[in-house]
Amino acid sequence: NILMNEIASRHMNLERIKRDYFNPNKSITIPQHKIELYPGYEFSIRRYSHSVLLGLDIKHKIIRTDTALEFMNVIMQRTRGNQTEIAKELVGAIVMTKYNNKTYRVDDVDFKTKPSDEVELKSGRISYIDYYQKNYDITIRDHNQPLLIHRSKTKIQGNTVERQIHLVPEVCYMTGLTDNMRSDFRIMQDLAQYTRQDPEKRHKALLGFRESIMESSDATAKLDSWGLQMSPEILDVSGRQQPPENIVIKNGGSFPCDARKESFDNITRKNFVISSAEINDNFTVICTAKDTGAANTFLETVAKVGPGCGINIRGGNVVTIRSDRAEDYITAIRSNETNPKIVVCLVPNNKKEKSTDCDSALIPLLKPS
């Protein structure tokens, strides 16, 4: 994998963004939606039953052509400059700085710090304006914009050290799709023309990866030095079909899993589990005030379904929070004095980052049973 990473970055002119590699020089622009697509690859080398194989897949990185500053200005006009709403929309978002092709997660917005303020570097103090001009030849035009905060964690001699990085919104580009964009049929349809390739196009694109390596004498020499060669075609493999598993229930009986649906919901709903924890009313649902109705419906459903499966669960309590910011969920989790056996966080959208933050807050509270 180290070898392929080196070939991709040095000999194929691909840019590494997180774990995958993309080609900004062949970006696809969709101007009507202010979206730019970076074509790229996800790959890994592993030893399988009969040989060493390269697992390769096509990927696309979605870069929006609007900067974080433009995004903030839209929110500012809509909310009349409400800083809480601005931070709510940005926290958890991933932004990209094109001058170094790095991505950052926005952890907070610093409304007290401006680009004209100075930061302490090893070479001395310098303003953010002068720093970008000197190092990247970028002129910061808005001197009064707030700064984005990214917190990175690194381990030094076994200890986790948190470092805070300030980013200027004017040079940060939004990535990914908002909830409104995902619900827009036209946007998703236009994206699908490039991201959902038919087998023939996907096959051609995968072979294009090999051709790019073969066209580079340095890349082929690197492979030769390791005694490796790439097959001219994609490998055909035989699939393995496993028989469906039997679901064992409390009274000793068993039922075959439905292989067509790949599901055993009906079995677990109508039969007792072999054993379950004594949960009773010792669990908590955390949600915003506007989702209280959904939380109560969830509690009622749990009280109906649980006993039918042999799970002792009923009641529970609802904890409401001020907003759906990840920080509010984390505070509610850590300050819960009831020490519940189960914590359910109801979130209003499907942002993975928020779920990850909640999981991270819960892990230190887990106790072995």
Side-chain angles (χ1 to χ4, degrees):
N1 289 313
I2 295 174
L3 172 65
M4 290 305 301
N5 289 341
E6 181 181 343
I7 289 175
S9 57
R10 293 188 180 182
H11 308 304
M12 297 178 66
N13 296 321
L14 299 178
E15 294 286 347
R16 183 169 185 171
I17 301 178
K18 290 190 175 180
R19 296 182 178 180
D20 304 321
Y21 287 85
F22 300 89
N23 191 344
N25 297 322
K26 293 185 178 180
S27 62
I28 303 165
T29 304
I30 309 176
Q32 66 271 30
H33 304 307
K34 295 184 178 180
I35 290 176
E36 195 175 6
L37 286 177
Y38 285 4
Y41 303 95
E42 174 187 12
F43 54 78
S44 64
I45 294 180
R46 294 181 182 179
R47 176 175 288 280
Y48 290 86
S49 56
H50 59 285
S51 63
V52 176
L53 299 178
L54 169 67
L56 182 65
D57 198 7
I58 306 299
K59 296 208 72 175
H60 291 86
K61 184 70 178 176
I62 299 176
I63 310 295
R64 308 215 305 263
T65 56
D66 56 328
T67 65
L69 179 60
E70 292 171 335
F71 185 67
M72 292 169 69
N73 288 336
V74 171
I75 303 170
M76 192 175 297
Q77 292 175 4
R78 189 179 72 229
T79 63
R80 298 181 181 179
N82 189 318
Q83 294 183 354
T84 302
E85 289 298 318
I86 294 172
K88 177 182 173 181
E89 292 281 349
L90 276 168
V91 170
I94 306 297
V95 297
M96 178 178 177
T97 49
K98 290 188 177 181
Y99 53 82
N100 59 2
N101 283 319
K102 287 187 177 181
T103 56
Y104 302 89
R105 182 187 186 276
V106 179
D107 294 306
D108 205 349
V109 181
D110 188 350
F111 291 96
K112 296 180 180 179
T113 308
K114 312 295 180 185
S116 55
D117 294 338
E118 292 186 341
V119 61
E120 185 70 43
L121 300 178
K122 292 181 180 180
S123 57
R125 295 188 66 81
I126 186 173
S127 70
Y128 292 95
I129 296 172
D130 293 337
Y131 173 81
Y132 279 95
Q133 188 68 59
K134 179 181 178 181
N135 290 277
Y136 301 107
D137 195 26
I138 295 175
T139 301
I140 303 297
R141 303 185 184 280
D142 187 343
H143 294 185
N144 295 314
Q145 59 187 298
L147 300 186
L148 307 178
I149 294 177
H150 167 72
R151 299 186 182 99
S152 65
K153 294 180 180 179
T154 55
K155 283 194 174 183
I156 301 178
Q157 297 179 348
N159 298 319
T160 301
V161 179
E162 185 176 275
R163 188 164 65 101
Q164 190 166 279
I165 300 173
H166 280 81
L167 302 167
V168 178
E170 189 177 319
V171 297
C172 296
Y173 288 84
M174 306 299 295
T175 68
L177 300 174
T178 64
D179 293 334
N180 289 334
M181 295 173 80
R182 287 191 181 93
S183 60
D184 190 319
F185 173 76
R186 292 171 300 176
I187 294 177
M188 301 308 294
Q189 187 179 47
D190 291 342
L191 279 174
Q193 295 180 18
Y194 304 100
T195 58
R196 296 181 182 177
Q197 299 177 344
D198 59 41
E200 185 177 346
K201 289 182 179 178
R202 181 174 289 271
H203 183 267
K204 183 178 179 181
L206 293 173
L207 290 180
F209 181 85
R210 178 191 179 277
E211 291 171 2
S212 297
I213 293 178
M214 294 297 101
E215 289 172 357
S216 170
S217 58
D218 292 333
T220 52
K222 195 73 178 178
L223 288 173
D224 291 341
S225 67
W226 283 77
L228 296 174
Q229 289 184 340
M230 293 191 71
S231 171
E233 266 296 340
I234 296 175
L235 180 67
D236 291 330
V237 295
S238 300
R240 300 176 183 175
Q241 184 173 359
Q242 300 292 340
E245 295 288 342
N246 285 331
I247 307 301
V248 181
I249 59 176
K250 189 169 186 176
N251 63 7
S254 63
F255 295 88
C257 179
D258 191 335
R260 293 172 300 173
K261 296 182 179 179
E262 299 179 352
S263 170
F264 47 87
D265 294 359
N266 290 333
I267 299 173
T268 55
R269 277 202 299 263
K270 299 176 181 177
N271 298 277
F272 277 25
V273 296
I274 295 176
S275 64
S276 69
E278 292 291 333
I279 300 170
N280 296 313
D281 60 354
N282 192 14
F283 72 98
T284 298
V285 179
I286 300 174
C287 65
T288 59
K290 66 180 181 180
D291 289 328
T292 304
N296 288 324
T297 301
F298 173 77
L299 293 179
E300 293 171 3
T301 305
V302 166
K304 291 178 182 177
V305 176
C309 304
I311 301 174
N312 296 321
I313 184 170
R314 65 178 186 277
N317 66 301
V318 177
V319 174
T320 57
I321 53 180
R322 292 179 299 174
S323 72
D324 64 345
R325 294 180 62 185
E327 288 78 3
D328 288 342
Y329 283 98
I330 293 171
T331 300
I333 292 170
R334 291 175 177 170
S335 61
N336 195 333
E337 297 178 355
T338 61
N339 192 26
K341 292 184 178 180
I342 295 178
V343 175
V344 178
C345 295
L346 293 185
V347 295
N349 52 51
N350 59 354
K351 285 186 178 179
K352 181 182 177 182
E353 295 81 10
K354 194 169 295 180
S355 174
T356 302
D357 288 337
C358 292
D359 292 343
S360 300
L362 284 168
I363 289 173
L365 305 180
L366 295 178
K367 296 180 181 179
S369 56

